[in-house]
C-alpha cells in the first residue's frame, strides 16, 4: 500500500505568487501517495477579514469600504491564480462567504462587541476560500482533490481515503494546550497524522529552515539535515524559531517521521526528525541555540552546606509565584545555588528568594542573594555528545579563545545538552566561536586581500578555480572574507563569491576602513586569519607587526617590509616568532620561484652560503636577453613598456633599485644587517634624466644608447653576454651591476623574462645550485602568493 503524507501549510502560502504551483509540485513529487494538506488561516492584511470585527465594534465608518476592497482583492486573486474554466465555483463561494461575514459585522456593530468564536468563524470562512482556490488549481491540473472540515477527519474513527488522492483540510483547527493559536496547523497536522497512521508529516515554515545556529548571529550556519525528537525538543526550548515541540507531541507518540521545511525554498529537503536516522549522524553536536534577556540569581551561604530541603524550599517558592526557572546550577559543596529566570521576572524572583530565606539571612547562614542582569543562556545540543571525550573541552576552549566569561554551567545526565550562562552582549561572539569550533574545519582560513589589481586579481581567480578541489582533497578551506583597494572594501561573513568578485566589489564595495576590515578578518570564530598584501604600498607594511600581535598571519609580494630600516625589519621578524604567526614573502624576490625557500633550507640544514647572485628583475632580464645591438637600447625599452613589461615609469626598473631591494632581502635572510643605502648600485638611467618628468625622460631615453652599445660590443668581443645582476657576498657586501658573463654561464643562457639565481655554498662550491624560471607576470607572481597561502595551511596542519 502507498503511503500517506500530511502537510501543515499556511493559507498565505496558497495565495502567494506561484503558491499553487509550488504546492502542485509538492503533490506531484509525492507520486502515488495520498496527500493531506492542513491549512492554517490566512495572515495577510489585504486578504484576512478578522480585523474588520474591530472596525465594526468601534463603529468605524470605513468598514464597508474595507469590505468592498477585500472583495475586490479576493476576486482579483482568483482571476490571477485559477484558470477561467475553474473560477465560477470559487467566486460563488466567496460571494456567499462575504454575505455571511457582512451579517456578522452588522450584528457586532449593533451590540458593540464580539466573541472569540466570531474570530474563529471568519477565519474558517477565509480558510475555506483558500482551500477551494487550491482545489480548483489542482483539479485544473488533473489532480483528484476534495476539501473537508478537519474535524470530520479526526472525529471519524476509520476515515476512508483513496490512493493518489489529495485532501485539503480547513475549518477550526485544534490547539496545543501549551501554545494555543501559535501555528495551529502544525499541531492539527500531527493529530491528523497520528489518527490516520501517516508515513510522514511535514511542517512548512514560510521562510526559515532549521540551522546549526541562528543565521542572524552566525551567517555561516548550515541547515541541520536530521535530528532525533529529543534533540529537536532541546533546540526548541533554547530558542530555535522553527521548532515547536508541543506541536510534535502527536507525531512523537507514534514515532512518525517529521520534516521541517521552508516554503521559500521548497527544493531543499529541510530537516528530517526521526529517532533512528537522527541517531545515526556522526556529528556529536547538532546545533546551538541562545535565550536572551535572562537574569542570573545567586544564593550563597555556609549555612546551606549539608542542610536538606534548601533547594526544595527555594524552587517551591518560585513555582508558587509562577516564576519560570530556566536553568539551575549548584556547587557540589552546596555553598551556593544559582538559577536563571526571564529578565522581567528577576526582581520578583530575587525578592521571593530573600523572603523565603529571611530567617537564614538574619542569622547569617545565607550571606548573599543577588541578581545579575543582562545575561543569556547558550546551549549546545546533540544526542551523540554522550560518552564522546573532548566535547566539553572543545566547548569551553572555544569560549575561552573568544574571551567569553562563563557565569554558570549546567548539563543534564543525558549529556544531550551543555548550557552556560554568559553576558548577553557576548552571545553573538560566543555563538560564532562555538560554531567555528564544532563545524568549521580546523583548516578554515579567514583571508583579507589588499590590492585586487593584476597580481591580487589573478590570485583571486586562481583561488576560485582551485578552492573546491583543495577542500575536497586536503580539507583546506580558504575563505576570502575581505577585498580592498586604496579607496573601498568588500566584506562578507561567509566568504565572497569568487566567481563573481569583480561585480560584487564594484556594486557592493563600501568606503575603506582598514581597522574595521582587519577586525572582520580576524574574527575569533575562525581558527586562523591571514592578510594578503598584493600592493606596493609603503603604508600597509607599517601595520604588519600590529596585525601579527592580533593573531593574524601575513602573506605578501610587497618588498617594503623586507627592506624597511633594519630595526623595523627585526621587530617584524621577532613579532612573528614571539606570537607564533607566519610572515611569508617568497614572492618578494623570485615571483613564483622558490628562491627564499631554498635559501632557508640551505641555512637551516647547516650549509654555509658563500654567495648568492642572480638575475632577479624580469624586466631587465627581458631587455638584456633580447638586446643584440641591432636596434637602440632605448627602442627596446619603449617596446617593453608598450607590452607592459616595465613599470609605468621605466626608470623604476632601470635604476636598479628593485634589484637592490631583492638583494637586501636575501642578505638579511643570510643574517646580515644590510640597508638599501649600503648597496653600490649601477643605475642604467643617465644622471641628467634621473629627476626629470616622465615625458622628458621618454623623449631623451636615447642618451642611454651609446653607453649600453659600447658595453655590449666589449662583452661580445670577449665571448660574453651582458646581464643585470644583484650579488650578496660571503661577508654580507651587496652590489647591483650590469656585468658580462661567459656564454657557458647560466646567467648568459637565460631567455626572455627568466630569473636565474645561483647559490654558492660549502656543499655547492664546484658547481652552484641554480634556480631558473619566469620571473615576471601576474600569473607566476600570483601563483607564488597562492603557494605561500598553501604553505601556511600546511604549517597550520593541513594534510598537503
Amino acid at each position: 500500500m502507498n503511503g500517506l503524507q500530511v502537510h501543515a501549510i499556511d493559507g498565505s502560502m496558497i495565495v502567494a505568487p506561484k503558491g499553487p504551483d509550488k504546492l502542485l509540485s509538492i503533490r506531484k513529487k509525492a507520486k502515488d501517495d495520498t496527500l493531506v494538506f492542513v491549512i492554517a488561516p490566512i495572515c495577510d492584511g489585504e486578504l484576512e477579514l478578522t480585523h474588520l470585527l474591530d472596525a465594526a465594534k468601534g463603529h468605524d465608518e470605513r468598514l464597508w469600504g474595507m469590505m468592498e476592497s477585500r472583495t475586490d482583492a479576493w476576486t482579483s486573486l482568483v482571476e490571477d491564480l485559477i484558470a477561467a474554466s475553474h473560477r465560477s465555483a470559487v467566486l460563488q463561494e466567496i460571494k456567499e462567504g462575504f454575505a455571511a461575514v457582512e451579517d456578522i459585522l452588522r450584528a457586532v456593530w449593533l451590540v458593540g462587541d464580539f466573541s472569540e468564536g466570531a474570530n474563529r468563524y471568519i477565519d474558517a470562512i477565509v480558510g475555506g476560500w483558500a482551500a477551494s482556490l487550491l482545489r480548483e488549481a489542482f483539479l485544473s491540473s488533473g489532480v483528484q482533490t476534495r476539501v473537508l472540515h478537519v474535524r470530520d477527519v479526526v472525529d471519524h474513527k476509520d476515515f476512508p481515503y483513496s490512493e493518489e488522492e489529495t485532501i485539503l483540510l480547513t475549518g477550526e483547527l485544534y490547539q496545543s494546550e501549551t501554545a494555543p493559536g501559535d501555528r495551529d496547523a502544525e499541531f492539527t497536522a500531527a493529530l491528523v497524522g497520528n489518527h490516520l497512521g501517516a508515513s510522514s508529516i511535514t511542517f512548512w515554515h514560510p521562510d526559515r529552515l532549521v540551522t546549526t545556529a541562528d543565521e542572524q548571529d552566525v551567517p555561516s550556519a548550515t541547515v541541520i539535515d536530521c535530528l532525533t525528537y529529543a534533540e529537536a525538543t532541546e533546540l526548541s526550548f533554547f530558542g530555535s524559531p522553527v521548532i515547536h515541540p508541543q506541536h510534535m507531541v502527536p507525531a512523537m507518540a507514534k514515532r512518525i517521521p517529521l520534516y521541517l521545511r521552508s516554503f521559500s525554498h521548497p527544493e531543499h529537503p529541510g530537516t528530517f526528525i526521526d529517532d533512528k536516522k537522527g541517531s545515526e549522524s556522526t556529528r556529536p553536536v547538532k546545533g546551538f541555540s541562545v535565550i536572551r534577556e535572562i537574569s542570573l540569581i545567586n544564593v550563597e551561604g555556609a549555612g546551606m552546606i549539608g542542610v536538606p530541603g534548601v533547594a526544595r524550599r527555594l524552587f517551591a517558592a518560585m513555582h508558587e509565584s509562577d516564576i519560570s526557572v530556566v536553568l539551575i546550577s549548584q556547587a557540589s559543596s552546596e555553598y551556593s545555588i544559582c538559577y536563571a529566570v526571564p529578565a522581567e521576572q528577576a526582581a520578583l524572583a530575587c525578592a521571593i528568594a530573600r523572603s523565603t530565606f529571611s530567617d537564614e539571612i538574619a542569622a547569617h547562614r545565607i550571606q548573599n542573594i543577588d541578581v545579575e542582569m543582562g545575561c543569556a543562556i547558550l546551549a549546545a545540543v546533540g544526542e551523540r555528545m554522550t560518552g564522546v571525550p573532548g566535547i566539553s573541552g572543545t566547548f569551553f576552549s572555544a569560549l575561552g579563545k573568544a574571551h567569553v566569561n562563563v557565569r554558570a554551567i549546567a548539563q543534564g545526565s543525558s549529556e544531550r545538552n551543555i548550557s552556560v550562562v554568559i553576558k548577553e552582549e557576548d552571545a553573538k561572539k560566543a555563538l560564532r566561536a562555538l560554531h567555528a569550533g564544532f563545524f568549521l574545519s580546523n583548516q578554515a582560513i579567514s583571508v583579507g586581500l589588499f590590492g585586487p589589481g593584476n597580481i591580487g586579481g589573478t590570485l583571486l581567480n586562481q583561488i576560485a578555480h582551485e578552492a573546491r578541489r583543495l577542500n575536497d582533497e586536503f580539507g583546506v578551506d580558504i575563505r576570502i572574507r575581505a577585498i580592498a583597494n586604496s579607496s573601498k572594501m568588500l566584506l562578507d561573513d561567509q566568504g565572497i563569491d569568487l566567481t563573481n568578485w569583480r561585480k560584487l566589489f564594484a556594486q557592493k564595495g563600501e568606503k575603506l576602513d582598514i581597522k574595521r576590515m582587519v577586525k572582520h578578518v580576524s574574527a575569533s570564530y575562525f581558527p586562523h586569519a591571514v592578510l594578503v598584501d598584493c600592493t606596493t604600498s609603503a603604508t600597509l607594511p607599517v601595520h604588519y607587526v600590529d596585525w601579527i600581535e592580533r593573531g593574524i598571519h601575513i602573506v605578501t609580494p610587497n618588498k617594503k617590509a623586507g627592506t624597511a630600516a633594519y630595526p623595523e625589519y627585526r621587530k617584524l621578524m621577532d613579532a612573528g616568532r614571539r606570537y607564533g604567526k607566519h610572515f611569508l614573502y617568497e614572492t618578494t624576490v623570485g615571483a613564483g620561484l622558490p628562491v627564499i625557500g631554498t635559501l632557508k633550507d640551505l641555512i637551516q640544514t647547516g650549509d654555509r652560503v658563500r654567495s648568492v647572485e642572480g638575475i632577479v628583475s624580469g624586466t631587465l632580464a627581458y631587455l638584456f636577453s633580447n638586446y643584440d645591438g641591432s636596434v637602440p637600447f632605448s627602442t627596446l625599452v619603449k617596446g617593453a613598456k608598450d607590452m607592459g613589461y616595465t613599470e609605468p615609469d621605466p626608470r623604476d626598473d632601470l635604476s636598479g633599485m628593485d634589484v637592490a631591494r631583492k638583494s637586501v632581502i636575501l642578505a638579511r635572510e643570510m643574517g646580515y644587517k644590510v640597508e638599501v643605502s649600503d648597496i653600490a648600485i649601477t643605475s642604467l638611467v643617465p644622471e641628467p634624466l634621473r629627476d626629470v618628468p616622465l615625458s622628458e625622460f621618454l623623449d631623451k631615453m636615447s642618451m642611454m644608447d651609446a653607453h649600453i652599445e659600447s658595453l655590449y660590443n666589449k662583452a661580445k668581443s670577449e665571448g660574453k653576454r651582458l646581464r643585470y645582476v644583484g650579488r650578496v657576498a660571503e661577508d654580507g657586501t651587496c652590489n647591483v651591476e650590469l656585468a658580462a658573463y661567459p656564454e657557458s654561464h647560466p646567467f648568459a643562457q637565460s631567455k626572455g623574462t627568466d630569473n636565474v639565481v645561483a647559490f654558492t655554498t660549502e656543499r655547492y662550491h664546484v658547481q652552484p645550485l641554480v634556480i631558473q624560471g619566469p620571473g615576471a607576470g601576474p600569473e607566476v607572481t600570483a601563483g607564488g602568493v597562492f603557494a605561500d597561502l598553501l604553505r601556511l595551511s600546511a604549517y597550520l596542519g593541513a594534510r598537503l
Side-chain angles (χ1 to χ4, degrees):
M1 181 177 178
N2 295 322
L4 180 143
Q5 301 179 23
V6 179
H7 294 254
I9 63 173
D10 289 344
S12 304
M13 297 174 186
I14 298 173
V15 300
K18 301 292 183 181
D21 292 341
K22 288 184 179 180
L23 293 165
L24 181 61
S25 176
I26 293 167
R27 163 64 270 185
K28 289 181 177 179
K29 287 179 181 177
K31 297 182 179 179
D32 297 335
D33 283 1
T34 299
L35 249 68
V36 177
F37 288 97
V38 178
I39 303 171
I42 289 177
C43 298
D44 185 308
E46 294 294 320
L47 298 173
E48 61 101 6
L49 306 182
T50 52
H51 68 286
L52 298 179
L53 290 167
D54 290 316
K57 178 181 176 180
H59 300 102
D60 190 332
E61 295 292 345
R62 295 172 298 175
L63 171 62
W64 311 114
M66 294 163 67
M67 274 283 285
E68 184 176 351
S69 68
R70 297 302 180 275
T71 303
D72 292 343
W74 271 99
T75 302
S76 297
L77 185 69
V78 172
E79 293 172 351
D80 289 343
L81 297 180
I82 303 179
S85 58
H86 285 75
R87 291 174 189 164
S88 58
V90 182
L91 290 172
Q92 181 61 32
E93 186 176 334
I94 290 172
K95 181 179 179 181
E96 294 172 359
F98 268 108
V101 171
E102 183 176 345
D103 290 342
I104 294 172
L105 294 175
R106 291 188 183 279
V108 171
W109 186 285
L110 289 173
V111 301
D113 200 3
F114 62 88
S115 66
E116 181 58 32
N119 248 326
R120 292 197 297 269
Y121 180 72
I122 291 180
D123 267 344
I125 289 176
V126 175
W129 297 344
S132 296
L133 190 154
L134 184 60
R135 177 196 64 209
E136 295 304 316
F138 277 12
L139 289 173
S140 67
S141 297
V143 177
Q144 179 187 350
T145 308
R146 55 175 171 156
V147 177
L148 297 173
H149 194 289
V150 64
R151 294 177 187 265
D152 291 340
V153 175
V154 177
D155 295 343
H156 197 295
K157 185 176 181 181
D158 295 305
F159 176 76
Y161 60 88
S162 59
E163 295 181 4
E164 301 183 44
E165 179 184 22
T166 301
I167 301 171
L168 310 180
L169 298 184
T170 185
E172 188 176 336
L173 304 181
Y174 292 88
Q175 295 183 341
S176 164
E177 293 181 3
T178 54
D182 183 13
R183 300 188 61 78
D184 293 335
E186 294 182 355
F187 182 67
T188 303
L191 279 176
V192 170
N194 179 300
H195 182 68
L196 299 180
S199 55
S200 70
I201 299 169
T202 302
F203 293 170
W204 288 92
H205 192 277
D207 51 29
R208 302 191 69 167
L209 290 161
V210 181
T211 52
T212 48
D214 192 314
E215 291 177 291
Q216 292 182 332
D217 290 324
V218 184
S220 59
T222 57
V223 176
I224 302 174
D225 57 353
C226 60
L227 293 167
T228 64
Y229 274 107
E231 288 171 333
T233 301
E234 292 274 9
L235 281 173
S236 69
F237 178 76
F238 284 96
S240 180
V242 183
I243 306 173
H244 303 87
Q246 302 87 352
H247 300 169
M248 298 190 299
V249 171
M252 290 173 62
K254 289 190 176 179
R255 288 298 187 261
I256 299 171
L258 177 66
Y259 293 89
L260 304 179
R261 300 180 66 184
S262 166
F263 199 68
S264 296
H265 309 282
E267 72 287 347
H268 197 290
T271 299
F272 183 42
I273 300 179
D274 177 75
D275 282 344
K276 183 176 185 298
K277 181 74 173 177
S279 61
E280 290 173 354
S281 171
T282 57
R283 280 188 170 179
V285 174
K286 294 289 184 68
F288 303 93
S289 285
V290 65
I291 306 177
R292 290 178 167 84
E293 297 183 1
I294 291 292
S295 294
L296 187 65
I297 298 173
N298 184 53
V299 180
E300 62 180 39
M304 297 194 302
I305 298 174
V307 178
V310 172
R312 178 189 60 77
R313 289 171 58 199
L314 175 62
F315 295 115
M318 296 299 117
H319 174 71
E320 290 170 4
S321 300
D322 292 324
I323 292 174
S324 175
V325 176
V326 185
L327 175 145
I328 302 169
S329 181
Q330 182 174 17
S332 60
S333 66
E334 299 183 333
Y335 177 77
S336 66
I337 299 175
C338 64
Y339 58 102
V341 300
E344 67 270 16
Q345 294 185 316
L348 177 60
C350 196
I352 290 170
R354 287 170 179 161
S355 174
T356 301
F357 296 111
S358 57
D359 291 343
E360 286 83 352
I361 293 172
H364 303 291
R365 292 195 297 274
I366 289 181
Q367 278 76 40
N368 190 40
I369 298 178
D370 57 19
V371 60
E372 183 177 359
M373 304 293 289
C375 295
I377 298 176
L378 191 155
V381 173
E383 194 86 41
R384 292 179 66 86
M385 288 197 298
T386 305
V388 177
I391 296 297
S392 294
T394 301
F395 185 93
F396 292 107
S397 175
L399 292 179
K401 288 179 181 177
H403 306 290
V404 175
N405 191 24
V406 175
R407 262 60 178 181
I409 304 167
Q411 182 175 23
S413 59
S414 67
E415 297 185 43
R416 189 182 296 121
N417 173 314
I418 301 175
S419 301
V420 294
V421 179
I422 60 176
K423 295 299 291 184
E424 185 172 341
E425 64 195 37
D426 290 335
K428 181 179 290 188
K429 177 171 67 173
L431 272 171
R432 291 181 175 186
L434 286 172
H435 196 270
F438 283 94
F439 293 123
L440 273 183
S441 161
N442 191 45
Q443 303 313 316
I445 302 177
S446 171
V447 180
L449 180 137
F450 290 101
N454 281 343
I455 296 173
T458 303
L459 172 63
L460 292 174
N461 294 337
Q462 289 177 351
I463 293 173
H465 190 264
E466 298 296 329
R468 181 178 292 277
R469 180 184 65 84
L470 289 170
N471 202 340
D472 292 345
E473 294 184 17
F474 306 110
V476 175
D477 185 5
I478 298 174
R479 306 278 187 95
I480 306 296
R481 300 180 62 245
I483 299 173
N485 62 17
S486 59
S487 60
K488 66 180 184 178
M489 64 184 183
L490 176 66
L491 308 182
D492 189 280
D493 278 310
Q494 294 185 347
I496 296 164
D497 177 7
L498 294 185
T499 63
N500 196 31
W501 72 265
R502 292 185 190 275
K503 183 178 180 181
L504 291 172
F505 189 77
Q507 294 180 348
K508 297 185 178 181
E510 53 187 299
K511 185 178 179 181
L512 176 63
D513 181 336
I514 293 178
K515 287 185 177 179
R516 182 171 158 230
M517 175 176 164
V518 171
K519 182 178 180 182
H520 173 82
V521 172
S522 60
S524 61
Y525 51 91
F526 268 83
H528 311 289
V530 58
L531 286 167
V532 180
D533 177 11
C534 289
T535 73
T536 58
S537 166
T539 57
L540 288 177
V542 173
H543 301 289
Y544 286 2
V545 170
D546 176 57
W547 294 344
I548 285 175
E549 289 175 349
R550 294 186 58 155
I552 303 171
H553 305 279
I554 309 292
V555 173
T556 185
N558 187 334
K559 294 180 281 292
K560 298 298 194 301
T563 58
Y566 190 82
E568 296 303 313
Y569 166 83
R570 189 72 265 155
K571 183 179 179 183
L572 172 61
M573 295 301 181
D574 290 344
R577 294 187 182 94
R578 187 166 62 253
Y579 291 92
K581 301 303 169 187
H582 295 277
F583 171 49
L584 301 178
Y585 48 96
E586 178 67 76
T587 51
T588 57
V589 173
L593 299 180
V595 175
I596 291 175
T598 300
L599 181 56
K600 284 179 180 288
D601 289 345
L602 291 170
I603 294 170
Q604 291 173 0
T605 57
D607 200 352
R608 182 175 179 82
V609 180
R610 295 178 178 176
S611 70
V612 179
E613 59 181 337
I615 301 169
V616 290
S617 166
T619 301
L620 295 173
Y622 169 81
L623 291 173
F624 285 103
S625 65
N626 283 276
Y627 181 68
D628 60 5
S630 62
V631 297
F633 187 71
S634 59
T635 301
L636 200 62
V637 172
K638 185 178 183 303
K641 181 179 185 300
D642 292 341
M643 290 186 291
Y645 285 0
T646 74
E647 293 295 327
D649 186 339
R651 287 175 294 185
D652 292 342
D653 299 299
L654 299 171
S655 68
M657 187 57 67
D658 178 62
V659 177
R661 291 194 181 100
K662 292 176 179 179
S663 300
V664 167
I665 292 171
L666 292 172
R668 288 178 174 180
E669 202 66 45
M670 294 164 65
Y672 299 116
K673 297 180 180 181
V674 179
E675 302 285 0
V676 175
S677 58
D678 297 335
I679 300 181
I681 304 173
T682 301
S683 174
L684 302 181
V685 182
E687 191 167 347
L689 299 183
R690 291 176 186 176
D691 298 317
V692 301
L694 174 60
S695 58
E696 183 177 347
F697 167 75
L698 295 176
D699 289 340
K700 298 179 178 179
M701 275 197 302
S702 58
M703 289 176 64
M704 298 184 293
D705 294 344
H707 178 62
I708 298 297
E709 184 179 9
S710 173
L711 292 175
Y712 171 78
N713 289 332
K714 182 176 184 298
K716 184 179 180 181
S717 67
E718 297 173 354
K720 297 179 180 180
R721 293 177 181 172
L722 293 178
R723 294 295 184 263
Y724 198 89
V725 300
R727 185 179 297 107
V728 183
E730 188 171 8
D731 62 358
T733 303
C734 301
N735 70 295
V736 172
E737 64 179 351
L738 182 61
Y741 290 89
E743 292 185 359
S744 60
H745 195 283
F747 292 175
Q749 297 175 16
S750 65
K751 303 294 184 183
T753 62
D754 276 6
N755 277 7
V756 187
V757 179
F759 300 91
T760 302
T761 73
E762 286 187 354
R763 294 175 190 160
Y764 298 94
H765 63 278
V766 176
Q767 182 177 347
L769 172 63
V770 177
I771 296 174
Q772 180 172 352
E779 288 289 340
V780 294
T781 305
V785 178
F786 197 178
D788 265 350
L789 260 179
L790 296 181
R791 191 172 294 110
L792 174 64
S793 297
Y795 292 156
L796 299 174
R799 56 182 189 276
L800 290 166

